[in-house]
Amino acid sequence: MDDSGLGAAGVQLLTARGERVEHPDFAISLTDDELRGLLRDMTLVRRLDAEATALQRQGELGLWASCLGQEAAQVGSAHAMAASDYAFPTYREHGVSWVRGVPPLDMLAMLRGVTNGGWDPNRYRCAPSVIVIGNQALHAVGYAMGIQLDGSQDAAIGYFGDGATAQGDVNEAFVFAAVFNAPVVFLCQNNQWAISQPTGRQTRTPLFERAAGFGFPGIRVDGNDVLAVMAVTRHALARARAGEGPTLIEAFTYRMAAHTTSDDPTRYREAVELEAWRQRDPIERLRVHLANEGIVDDSFLEGLQQESETLGELVRAGVRSMPDPEPGAMFDHVYAEWHPEIEAQRDEVDAYLASFVEEGVR
Amino acid sequence: MAGIDGHEPVTMTMAQALNHGLRRALERDAKTVLFGEDIGRLGGVFRVTDGLQKDFGEHRVIDAPLAESGIVGAAVGLAMRGYRPVLEMQFDGFVYPAFDQIVSQVAKLRRRTEGAISLPITIRIPYGGGIGAVEHHSESPEAYFAHTPGLRVLTPSDPQAAFDTIQQAIASDDPVIYLEPKRRYWDKGSVDASADPLDPAMAPYPWRARTLRVGSDVTIVCYGPMVRTCLEAARASGEVSIEVIDLQSLSPVDYDAIVASVERTARLVVVHEASRNAGLGAEIATRISERCFTMLEAPVTRVTGYDVPYPPNRLEEFFLPDLDRVLDGVDRVMSY
């Protein structure tokens, strides 16, 4: 039954072969539409990821951090959230921002180099992706403390990876969340690699077990099982809303691609490992399950394929035609209030550029 | 402290003036929360938050775990939820664990989100030496923060300025590093609380320098703990007429005020406790040389701490600029 390499502690509701199994503590019952929606989201996120990788190879994006293989952990956890909850992602959580409704071109704008962000966080209740490892775990906790002060039923999810668990900020986030009993879920995607370093370089204990030392529950879930991730995240969010405090979820998954497009994983990991994880693919197992159950048919899958093609076209055309900002845009929004230095330097840039126009150079 | 809410000025220490300013901020806006180590029942190690938790509750004046990055990082989330956090770093030398959150997140998140998110966070830091403290308790880290785009840096020099500017800092929608000159916490001064510091018609704009003494021969630019020292030097200077400018805002710096003064005096001495290399004085000297080069009678001179780790307290009197060293700087620009 457990064919995920998780060990006994990993919650699983869908085996790698697409068999639906039950777990004594975690159940999930989704409508056919919801199940098809999960397959659709994971499929489209994978396509977005592939298109972005290709666009980087073509020089259209400066960098891309692929989420290949982690679609279930991201899509499943994000689908567990309510609209009024708030997600705090890293730079790899494209599946999270997708489910939160962030338009795909907004996700790509930072990598295109036209902005340092890309979307209005409050519109999607999804913070800008944080690049400094672990910083956002504290933001999620602080946000959750605000929820608590408001007396609201909302919750926050802080995303991070196995590498980030070595950071002080993540450990401080655990402390603050625990002592304030904050309504926050820590969703750690253990994708086995922090660039070139295996999880064993970050920890001597299973990551989910760390939570006990901080005073709240930790759960390991098969991160390639979208149903299990969704069930476990729903459970953790329900705990948060009920005033029962934080939960650490370790979604046990695998980074199928390089760390980023600048990385070369053949220098540090074996192809055989990759192949083993390919057998546990999150999308294929759901597709098999839904096909066996008669929930998806060929016509649905063909429609999804067509939707993927359309998304690919939109992304390719949209990225290539993304306009560069005006030089003066770098001075926008540095401060909320008047700042004489910024205004003087904005004028300096304008005057400098205008001097070329006067000389006929531009 | 009877009388603070009346119309008569009241004499109080800077620590008390800050306490009253914080109280006003808590009364003004229910979203203002104080967050820091030992600020609740203890009232802070300098008692600046004395009594505030008792009066406003544990949900408004929140004792934090002992983790500075955690305090600042959590404040980012609180601000994103609509709160206006006022943080206390216990001492200057303990802000560095939070440096990453301040520089990478607090300073940049507004720009990153193209104005969608404001971070109205005030980070109070007792700073500077002169109190005979052990290592890490006497530092002047202002240049790190003044160098960081996205932050504002304020430092009061007397109780009235403290009462006014702490409220202005908290009301600002920008993050403010608020440096409190700890050796001046116990200095007393008159505080007029009848004027609302958030009303531009009633209080000085916090980002403007203040000319505290008018003179004609030399301009001294100083801030925070050195203001009292420089005013004492100006009074003791005898024949030389010294103008004293309290910058108050270290980012942005009110260069127009300095230029206007140097256009009259033609001589400038910059005084700060912080180490000299790449300090505020270096930037001010450059700006003044750019804008006042032909009218200067002498090179801009700096009187500062030295480029060494803050010395053990038996030596701090030799490290810190005092009245005699300030006057020595004045002599150098006068005799050039």
Side-chain angles (χ1 to χ4, degrees), chain A residues 86 88 115-117 120-122 125 128 130 132 135 138-139 142-143 145-147 149-150 152 154 169 172 176 179-180 329-330 332-333 335-341, chain B residues 31 35 59 62-63 65 67 69-71 73-74 76-78 80-81 83 100-101 105 109-117 150-152 172-174 205 252 255 287:
Chain A
Y86 215 109
F88 290 83
T115 174
N116 289 330
D120 175 353
N122 291 330
R125 307 191 70 70
V130 164
V132 179
N135 278 177
L138 281 164
H139 304 168
Y143 190 89
M145 290 170 64
I147 291 171
L149 290 171
D150 291 344
S152 153
D154 297 339
D169 273 10
E172 291 184 24
F176 280 56
V179 302
F180 291 111
M330 74 176 101
D332 295 342
H333 309 300
Y335 292 94
E337 297 165 11
W338 179 76
H339 193 288
E341 293 297 300
Chain B
K31 292 289 190 181
F35 192 35
H59 62 295
I62 307 167
D63 279 311
S69 188
I71 293 168
V76 170
L78 280 164
M80 290 178 71
R81 184 71 189 182
Y83 284 84
D100 173 32
Q101 284 284 353
Q105 304 300 334
L109 198 50
R110 179 181 176 78
R111 168 85 196 112
R112 187 179 301 141
T113 60
E114 296 179 357
I117 288 179
L151 303 177
R152 292 174 184 267
S172 173
D173 283 337
D174 286 319
Y205 193 60
Y255 292 109
R287 298 297 186 103

Coordinates of all heavy atoms in Angstrom, one line a residue, chain A residues 86 88 115-117 120-122 125 128 130 132 135 138-139 142-143 145-147 149-150 152 154 169 172 176 179-180 329-330 332-333 335-341, chain B residues 31 35 59 62-63 65 67 69-71 73-74 76-78 80-81 83 100-101 105 109-117 150-152 172-174 205 252 255 287:
Chain A
Y86 N -4.5 33.4 3.8 CA -3.4 34.1 3.2 C -2.3 33.2 3.0 O -1.8 32.6 4.0 CB -3.1 35.4 4.0 CG -2.6 36.6 3.2 CD1 -3.4 37.7 3.1 CD2 -1.4 36.6 2.5 CE1 -3.1 38.8 2.4 CE2 -1.0 37.7 1.8 CZ -1.8 38.8 1.8 OH -1.4 40.0 1.1
F88 N 1.8 32.5 2.0 CA 3.1 33.2 2.0 C 4.1 32.2 1.3 O 4.7 31.4 2.0 CB 3.5 33.5 3.5 CG 2.7 34.6 4.1 CD1 1.5 34.3 4.7 CD2 3.2 35.9 4.1 CE1 0.7 35.3 5.2 CE2 2.4 36.9 4.6 CZ 1.2 36.6 5.2
T115 N 9.8 43.7 -12.9 CA 9.3 44.1 -11.6 C 10.0 43.2 -10.6 O 10.5 42.1 -10.9 CB 7.8 43.9 -11.5 OG1 7.3 44.1 -10.1 CG2 7.4 42.4 -11.8
N116 N 10.0 43.6 -9.3 CA 10.5 42.8 -8.2 C 9.4 42.0 -7.6 O 9.6 41.2 -6.6 CB 11.2 43.6 -7.2 CG 12.5 44.2 -7.7 OD1 13.1 43.6 -8.5 ND2 12.9 45.3 -7.2
G117 N 8.1 42.2 -8.1 CA 7.0 41.4 -7.5 C 6.2 40.8 -8.6 O 6.5 39.7 -9.1
D120 N -0.7 42.1 -7.0 CA -1.1 42.7 -5.8 C -1.5 41.6 -4.8 O -2.4 40.9 -4.9 CB -2.4 43.6 -6.1 CG -3.0 44.2 -4.8 OD1 -2.5 43.9 -3.7 OD2 -3.9 45.0 -4.9
P121 N -0.7 41.5 -3.7 CA -0.8 40.4 -2.8 C -2.2 40.4 -2.2 O -2.8 39.3 -2.0 CB 0.2 40.6 -1.7 CG 1.2 41.5 -2.4 CD 0.5 42.4 -3.3
N122 N -2.8 41.5 -1.9 CA -4.0 41.6 -1.1 C -5.2 41.1 -2.0 O -6.2 40.6 -1.6 CB -4.3 42.9 -0.6 CG -3.3 43.2 0.6 OD1 -2.9 42.3 1.3 ND2 -2.9 44.5 0.8
R125 N -4.7 37.4 -2.0 CA -4.4 36.9 -0.6 C -3.2 35.9 -0.7 O -3.3 34.7 -0.2 CB -5.6 36.4 0.1 CG -6.7 37.5 0.1 CD -7.8 37.2 1.1 NE -7.5 37.3 2.5 CZ -7.2 38.4 3.1 NH1 -7.2 39.5 2.5 NH2 -6.9 38.4 4.4
P128 N 3.9 38.2 -2.1 CA 4.9 38.0 -3.2 C 5.9 36.9 -2.8 O 6.1 36.7 -1.6 CB 5.6 39.4 -3.3 CG 5.3 40.0 -2.0 CD 4.0 39.5 -1.5
V130 N 8.9 35.0 -1.8 CA 10.1 35.5 -1.0 C 11.3 34.7 -1.5 O 11.2 33.4 -1.6 CB 9.9 35.4 0.5 CG1 11.2 35.5 1.3 CG2 8.9 36.5 0.9
V132 N 14.7 35.3 -0.1 CA 15.6 35.0 1.0 C 15.0 33.9 1.8 O 13.9 33.9 2.3 CB 15.8 36.3 1.9 CG1 16.7 36.0 3.0 CG2 16.3 37.4 1.0
N135 N 12.5 33.7 5.3 CA 11.9 35.0 5.8 C 10.4 34.9 6.0 O 9.8 35.4 6.9 CB 12.3 36.2 4.9 CG 13.6 36.8 5.1 OD1 14.0 37.7 4.3 ND2 14.4 36.3 6.0
L138 N 8.1 33.8 9.1 CA 7.8 34.7 10.1 C 6.6 35.7 9.7 O 5.8 36.1 10.5 CB 9.0 35.5 10.5 CG 10.0 34.8 11.4 CD1 11.3 35.5 11.4 CD2 9.4 34.7 12.8
H139 N 6.6 36.0 8.4 CA 5.5 36.9 8.0 C 4.2 36.2 8.1 O 3.2 36.8 8.5 CB 5.7 37.2 6.5 CG 7.1 37.9 6.2 ND1 7.5 38.1 4.9 CD2 8.0 38.4 7.0 CE1 8.7 38.6 5.0 NE2 9.0 38.8 6.3
G142 N 3.3 36.3 11.8 CA 2.8 37.7 12.2 C 1.4 37.9 11.7 O 0.6 38.5 12.4
Y143 N 1.2 37.5 10.4 CA -0.1 37.7 9.8 C -1.1 36.9 10.7 O -2.2 37.4 11.0 CB -0.1 37.2 8.4 CG -1.4 37.6 7.7 CD1 -1.5 38.8 7.0 CD2 -2.5 36.8 7.7 CE1 -2.6 39.2 6.3 CE2 -3.7 37.2 7.0 CZ -3.7 38.4 6.4 OH -4.9 38.7 5.7
M145 N -0.9 36.2 13.8 CA -1.1 36.9 15.1 C -2.1 38.0 14.9 O -2.9 38.3 15.8 CB 0.2 37.4 15.6 CG 1.2 36.4 16.0 SD 2.9 37.0 16.4 CE 2.5 38.2 17.7
G146 N -2.1 38.7 13.7 CA -3.0 39.7 13.4 C -4.4 39.2 13.3 O -5.4 39.8 13.8
I147 N -4.6 38.0 12.7 CA -5.9 37.3 12.6 C -6.4 37.1 14.0 O -7.6 37.3 14.3 CB -5.7 36.0 11.8 CG1 -5.4 36.2 10.4 CG2 -7.0 35.1 12.0 CD1 -5.0 34.9 9.6
L149 N -5.6 38.7 16.7 CA -6.0 40.0 17.4 C -7.3 40.5 16.9 O -8.1 41.1 17.6 CB -4.9 41.0 17.1 CG -3.6 40.8 17.8 CD1 -2.5 41.8 17.3 CD2 -3.7 41.0 19.3
D150 N -7.6 40.2 15.6 CA -8.9 40.6 15.0 C -10.0 39.7 15.5 O -11.2 40.1 15.3 CB -8.8 40.4 13.5 CG -7.9 41.4 12.8 OD1 -7.6 42.4 13.4 OD2 -7.6 41.2 11.6
S152 N -10.7 36.9 14.1 CA -11.2 36.3 12.9 C -11.0 34.8 12.8 O -10.2 34.2 13.5 CB -10.5 37.1 11.7 OG -10.5 36.3 10.6
D154 N -9.9 33.4 10.0 CA -9.0 33.2 8.9 C -7.8 32.4 9.4 O -7.6 32.2 10.6 CB -8.5 34.5 8.3 CG -9.6 35.3 7.7 OD1 -10.6 34.7 7.3 OD2 -9.4 36.5 7.5
D169 N 15.2 31.9 11.0 CA 13.8 32.5 10.8 C 12.7 31.5 10.9 O 11.7 31.7 11.5 CB 13.7 33.3 9.5 CG 14.2 34.7 9.7 OD1 14.8 35.1 10.7 OD2 14.0 35.5 8.7
E172 N 12.5 30.4 14.5 CA 11.9 31.5 15.3 C 10.4 31.5 15.0 O 9.6 31.8 15.9 CB 12.5 32.8 15.0 CG 14.0 32.9 15.6 CD 14.6 34.3 15.4 OE1 14.0 35.3 15.2 OE2 15.9 34.3 15.4
F176 N 7.5 31.5 17.8 CA 6.4 32.5 17.9 C 5.0 31.9 17.7 O 4.1 32.2 18.4 CB 6.7 33.6 16.9 CG 7.7 34.6 17.3 CD1 9.0 34.2 17.6 CD2 7.4 36.0 17.4 CE1 10.0 35.1 18.0 CE2 8.4 36.9 17.8 CZ 9.7 36.5 18.1
V179 N 4.1 29.9 20.9 CA 3.8 30.6 22.2 C 2.6 31.5 22.0 O 1.9 31.7 23.0 CB 5.0 31.4 22.7 CG1 6.2 30.4 23.0 CG2 5.4 32.5 21.8
F180 N 2.4 32.0 20.8 CA 1.1 32.8 20.6 C 0.0 31.9 20.1 O -1.1 32.5 19.9 CB 1.4 33.9 19.7 CG 2.4 35.0 20.2 CD1 3.7 35.1 19.7 CD2 2.0 35.8 21.3 CE1 4.5 36.1 20.2 CE2 2.8 36.7 21.8 CZ 4.1 36.9 21.3
A329 N 10.7 54.3 -13.4 CA 9.9 53.5 -12.5 C 10.6 52.9 -11.3 O 10.0 52.5 -10.3 CB 9.3 52.3 -13.4
M330 N 11.9 52.9 -11.4 CA 12.7 52.4 -10.2 C 12.5 53.2 -9.0 O 12.7 52.8 -7.9 CB 14.2 52.2 -10.6 CG 14.9 53.5 -10.7 SD 16.7 53.2 -10.9 CE 16.9 53.5 -12.7
D332 N 9.6 54.6 -8.2 CA 8.2 54.5 -7.7 C 8.1 53.6 -6.5 O 8.7 52.5 -6.5 CB 7.3 54.0 -8.8 CG 7.2 54.9 -10.0 OD1 7.5 56.1 -9.9 OD2 6.8 54.4 -11.1
H333 N 7.3 54.0 -5.6 CA 6.9 53.1 -4.4 C 8.1 52.7 -3.5 O 7.9 51.8 -2.8 CB 6.2 51.9 -4.9 CG 5.1 52.2 -5.9 ND1 4.0 52.9 -5.5 CD2 4.9 51.8 -7.2 CE1 3.2 53.0 -6.6 NE2 3.7 52.3 -7.6
Y335 N 9.1 54.8 -1.2 CA 8.5 55.3 0.0 C 7.0 55.6 -0.2 O 6.6 55.9 -1.3 CB 9.2 56.6 0.4 CG 10.7 56.3 0.9 CD1 11.7 56.5 0.0 CD2 11.0 56.0 2.2 CE1 13.0 56.2 0.4 CE2 12.3 55.7 2.6 CZ 13.3 55.8 1.7 OH 14.6 55.6 2.1
A336 N 6.3 55.6 0.9 CA 4.9 55.9 0.8 C 4.7 57.5 0.8 O 3.8 58.0 0.1 CB 4.1 55.4 2.0
E337 N 5.6 58.1 1.5 CA 5.5 59.6 1.6 C 6.7 60.3 1.0 O 7.7 59.6 0.6 CB 5.5 59.9 3.2 CG 4.3 59.3 3.8 CD 4.3 59.3 5.3 OE1 5.2 59.9 5.9 OE2 3.5 58.6 5.9
W338 N 6.6 61.6 0.8 CA 7.5 62.4 0.1 C 8.9 62.2 0.6 O 9.2 62.1 1.8 CB 7.1 63.8 0.3 CG 8.1 64.8 -0.4 CD1 8.1 65.1 -1.8 CD2 9.0 65.6 0.2 NE1 9.1 66.0 -2.0 CE2 9.7 66.4 -0.8 CE3 9.4 65.8 1.5 CZ2 10.7 67.3 -0.5 CZ3 10.4 66.7 1.8 CH2 11.1 67.5 0.8
H339 N 9.9 62.1 -0.3 CA 11.3 61.8 0.1 C 12.1 62.6 -0.9 O 12.2 62.3 -2.1 CB 11.6 60.3 -0.1 CG 12.9 59.9 0.6 ND1 14.1 60.2 0.0 CD2 13.1 59.2 1.7 CE1 15.0 59.7 0.8 NE2 14.5 59.1 1.8
P340 N 12.8 63.7 -0.4 CA 13.5 64.6 -1.3 C 14.6 63.9 -2.1 O 14.8 64.3 -3.3 CB 14.0 65.7 -0.4 CG 14.0 65.0 1.0 CD 12.9 64.1 1.0
E341 N 15.3 63.0 -1.5 CA 16.4 62.3 -2.2 C 15.9 61.6 -3.4 O 16.5 61.6 -4.5 CB 17.2 61.4 -1.3 CG 17.9 62.1 -0.1 CD 19.0 63.0 -0.6 OE1 19.9 62.5 -1.3 OE2 18.9 64.2 -0.4
Chain B
K31 N -5.1 50.0 15.9 CA -4.3 49.1 15.2 C -2.8 49.2 15.6 O -2.0 48.4 15.1 CB -4.4 49.3 13.7 CG -5.8 48.9 13.1 CD -6.0 47.4 13.1 CE -7.3 47.0 12.4 NZ -7.5 45.5 12.4
F35 N 5.4 45.8 20.4 CA 5.9 44.4 20.4 C 7.4 44.4 20.7 O 8.2 45.1 19.9 CB 5.6 43.8 19.0 CG 5.7 42.3 18.9 CD1 5.4 41.4 19.9 CD2 6.2 41.7 17.7 CE1 5.5 40.1 19.8 CE2 6.3 40.4 17.5 CZ 6.0 39.5 18.6
H59 N -2.9 42.5 24.6 CA -3.0 42.4 23.1 C -2.6 43.6 22.4 O -2.5 43.6 21.2 CB -4.5 42.1 22.8 CG -5.4 43.2 23.3 ND1 -5.6 43.5 24.6 CD2 -6.2 44.1 22.5 CE1 -6.5 44.5 24.7 NE2 -6.8 44.9 23.4
I62 N 2.7 43.8 23.6 CA 2.9 42.3 23.6 C 4.4 42.0 23.9 O 5.3 42.5 23.2 CB 2.6 41.8 22.2 CG1 1.1 42.2 21.8 CG2 2.7 40.3 22.1 CD1 0.8 42.0 20.3
D63 N 4.6 41.2 24.9 CA 5.9 40.7 25.2 C 6.3 39.6 24.2 O 5.6 38.7 24.0 CB 6.0 40.1 26.7 CG 6.1 41.2 27.7 OD1 7.0 42.1 27.6 OD2 5.3 41.2 28.7
P65 N 8.9 36.7 22.4 CA 10.1 35.8 22.7 C 11.4 36.5 22.4 O 11.4 37.5 21.7 CB 9.8 34.7 21.7 CG 8.4 34.7 21.3 CD 8.0 36.2 21.4
A67 N 13.9 36.9 20.4 CA 14.4 36.7 19.1 C 14.1 37.9 18.2 O 12.9 38.1 17.8 CB 13.7 35.4 18.5
S69 N 15.0 38.8 15.0 CA 14.5 38.6 13.7 C 13.0 38.2 13.7 O 12.2 38.6 12.9 CB 15.3 37.5 13.0 OG 15.0 37.4 11.6
G70 N 12.7 37.3 14.7 CA 11.3 36.9 14.9 C 10.4 38.1 15.1 O 9.3 38.2 14.5
I71 N 10.8 39.1 15.9 CA 10.0 40.2 16.2 C 9.8 41.0 14.9 O 8.6 41.4 14.6 CB 10.7 41.1 17.3 CG1 10.7 40.4 18.6 CG2 10.0 42.5 17.4 CD1 11.6 41.0 19.7
G73 N 10.3 40.1 11.7 CA 9.6 39.3 10.7 C 8.1 39.1 11.0 O 7.2 39.3 10.1
A74 N 7.7 38.9 12.3 CA 6.3 38.8 12.6 C 5.6 40.2 12.4 O 4.5 40.3 12.0 CB 6.2 38.4 14.1
V76 N 6.2 42.3 10.1 CA 5.9 42.4 8.6 C 4.5 41.8 8.4 O 3.6 42.4 7.7 CB 7.0 41.7 7.8 CG1 6.5 41.6 6.3 CG2 8.3 42.4 7.9
G77 N 4.3 40.6 9.0 CA 3.0 39.9 8.8 C 1.9 40.7 9.5 O 0.8 40.9 8.9
L78 N 2.1 41.3 10.7 CA 1.1 42.1 11.4 C 0.8 43.3 10.5 O -0.4 43.7 10.4 CB 1.7 42.5 12.7 CG 1.6 41.5 13.9 CD1 2.5 42.0 15.0 CD2 0.2 41.4 14.4
M80 N 1.0 43.5 7.3 CA 0.3 43.1 6.1 C -1.2 42.8 6.5 O -2.1 42.9 5.7 CB 0.9 41.8 5.5 CG 2.2 42.1 4.8 SD 3.0 40.6 4.2 CE 1.9 40.2 2.8
R81 N -1.5 42.5 7.7 CA -2.8 42.3 8.2 C -3.5 43.6 8.6 O -4.6 43.7 9.0 CB -2.8 41.3 9.4 CG -4.1 40.9 10.0 CD -4.9 40.0 9.1 NE -6.3 39.8 9.6 CZ -7.2 39.0 9.1 NH1 -6.9 38.3 8.0 NH2 -8.4 38.9 9.6
Y83 N -2.0 46.1 10.8 CA -1.6 46.6 12.1 C -0.4 47.6 11.8 O 0.2 47.7 10.8 CB -1.2 45.5 13.0 CG -2.4 44.8 13.6 CD1 -3.1 43.8 12.9 CD2 -3.0 45.3 14.8 CE1 -4.2 43.2 13.3 CE2 -4.2 44.7 15.2 CZ -4.8 43.7 14.5 OH -6.0 43.1 15.0
D100 N 18.6 41.2 8.6 CA 18.1 40.5 7.3 C 16.6 40.9 7.1 O 16.3 41.4 6.0 CB 18.2 39.0 7.4 CG 17.6 38.3 6.3 OD1 17.6 38.8 5.1 OD2 17.2 37.1 6.5
Q101 N 15.8 40.7 8.1 CA 14.4 41.1 7.9 C 14.2 42.6 7.6 O 13.4 43.0 6.8 CB 13.5 40.7 9.1 CG 13.3 39.2 9.3 CD 12.1 38.7 8.3 OE1 11.5 39.5 7.7 NE2 12.0 37.4 8.3
Q105 N 13.3 42.7 3.8 CA 11.8 42.6 3.7 C 11.2 44.0 4.1 O 10.5 44.6 3.3 CB 11.3 41.5 4.6 CG 11.8 40.2 4.3 CD 11.5 39.7 2.9 OE1 10.5 40.1 2.3 NE2 12.4 38.8 2.4
L109 N 9.5 45.7 0.7 CA 8.3 45.0 0.4 C 7.3 46.0 -0.3 O 6.6 45.6 -1.2 CB 7.6 44.4 1.6 CG 6.5 43.4 1.4 CD1 6.9 42.3 0.5 CD2 6.1 42.8 2.8
R110 N 7.4 47.3 0.1 CA 6.5 48.2 -0.6 C 6.9 48.4 -2.1 O 6.0 48.4 -2.9 CB 6.6 49.6 0.1 CG 5.8 50.6 -0.5 CD 5.9 52.0 0.1 NE 5.1 52.9 -0.7 CZ 3.8 53.0 -0.6 NH1 3.2 52.3 0.3 NH2 3.2 53.8 -1.4
R111 N 8.2 48.5 -2.3 CA 8.6 48.6 -3.7 C 8.3 47.3 -4.5 O 7.9 47.4 -5.6 CB 10.1 48.9 -3.6 CG 10.9 48.8 -5.0 CD 10.8 50.0 -5.8 NE 11.2 49.7 -7.2 CZ 10.3 49.7 -8.2 NH1 9.1 50.1 -8.1 NH2 10.7 49.4 -9.4
R112 N 8.6 46.2 -3.8 CA 8.3 44.9 -4.5 C 6.9 44.7 -4.9 O 6.6 44.2 -5.9 CB 8.7 43.8 -3.5 CG 8.7 42.4 -4.1 CD 9.1 41.3 -3.0 NE 10.4 41.6 -2.5 CZ 10.8 41.4 -1.2 NH1 9.9 40.9 -0.4 NH2 12.0 41.7 -0.9
T113 N 6.0 45.3 -4.1 CA 4.6 45.1 -4.4 C 4.0 46.4 -5.1 O 2.8 46.5 -5.2 CB 3.7 44.8 -3.1 OG1 3.9 45.9 -2.2 CG2 4.2 43.6 -2.5
E114 N 4.9 47.2 -5.6 CA 4.5 48.4 -6.3 C 3.4 49.2 -5.6 O 2.4 49.6 -6.1 CB 4.1 48.1 -7.7 CG 5.3 47.5 -8.4 CD 5.1 47.1 -9.9 OE1 4.0 47.2 -10.3 OE2 6.1 46.7 -10.5
G115 N 3.6 49.3 -4.3 CA 2.8 50.2 -3.4 C 1.6 49.5 -2.9 O 0.8 50.1 -2.1
A116 N 1.4 48.2 -3.2 CA 0.2 47.5 -2.7 C 0.2 47.3 -1.2 O -0.8 47.2 -0.6 CB -0.1 46.2 -3.5
I117 N 1.4 47.1 -0.7 CA 1.6 46.9 0.7 C 2.5 48.0 1.3 O 3.6 48.2 0.8 CB 2.3 45.5 0.9 CG1 1.2 44.4 0.6 CG2 2.8 45.3 2.4 CD1 1.8 43.0 0.8
G150 N 14.4 52.7 1.3 CA 13.1 52.2 1.8 C 12.9 52.4 3.3 O 11.8 52.3 3.7
L151 N 14.0 52.7 4.0 CA 13.8 53.0 5.4 C 13.9 54.5 5.6 O 14.6 55.2 4.9 CB 15.0 52.4 6.2 CG 15.1 50.9 6.1 CD1 16.3 50.4 6.9 CD2 13.8 50.1 6.6
R152 N 13.3 55.0 6.7 CA 13.5 56.3 7.2 C 14.2 56.2 8.6 O 14.0 55.2 9.2 CB 12.2 57.1 7.4 CG 11.6 57.5 6.0 CD 10.2 58.1 6.2 NE 9.6 58.4 4.9 CZ 9.7 59.5 4.3 NH1 10.4 60.6 4.8 NH2 9.1 59.7 3.1
S172 N 3.7 57.5 10.3 CA 4.2 57.4 9.0 C 3.9 56.0 8.3 O 3.9 55.0 9.0 CB 5.7 57.6 8.9 OG 6.2 57.3 7.6
D173 N 3.5 56.0 7.1 CA 3.2 54.8 6.4 C 4.5 54.1 5.9 O 4.5 53.0 5.3 CB 2.3 55.0 5.2 CG 0.8 55.1 5.7 OD1 0.5 54.6 6.8 OD2 0.0 55.7 5.0
D174 N 5.6 54.8 6.1 CA 6.9 54.2 5.8 C 7.5 53.5 7.0 O 7.3 54.0 8.2 CB 7.9 55.2 5.3 CG 7.6 55.7 3.9 OD1 7.2 54.8 3.0 OD2 7.7 56.9 3.6
Y205 N 7.9 69.6 11.0 CA 7.9 68.4 10.1 C 9.1 67.6 10.5 O 10.2 68.1 10.7 CB 8.1 68.9 8.7 CG 7.9 67.9 7.6 CD1 6.6 67.3 7.5 CD2 8.8 67.6 6.7 CE1 6.4 66.4 6.5 CE2 8.6 66.7 5.7 CZ 7.4 66.1 5.6 OH 7.2 65.2 4.6
P252 N 15.5 60.8 5.2 CA 16.4 61.6 4.4 C 17.1 62.7 5.3 O 16.6 63.0 6.4 CB 15.5 62.3 3.4 CG 14.2 62.3 4.1 CD 14.1 61.1 5.0
Y255 N 19.5 68.4 3.6 CA 20.7 69.1 3.2 C 20.5 70.6 2.9 O 21.4 71.4 3.1 CB 21.3 68.4 1.9 CG 21.8 67.0 2.2 CD1 21.2 65.9 1.8 CD2 23.0 66.9 2.9 CE1 21.7 64.6 2.0 CE2 23.5 65.6 3.3 CZ 22.8 64.5 2.8 OH 23.3 63.3 3.1
R287 N 28.2 66.0 0.2 CA 27.1 66.9 -0.3 C 27.5 68.4 -0.1 O 27.2 69.1 -1.0 CB 25.9 66.6 0.5 CG 25.4 65.2 0.4 CD 25.0 64.8 -1.0 NE 24.4 63.5 -1.0 CZ 23.0 63.3 -1.1 NH1 22.2 64.3 -1.3 NH2 22.6 62.1 -1.1

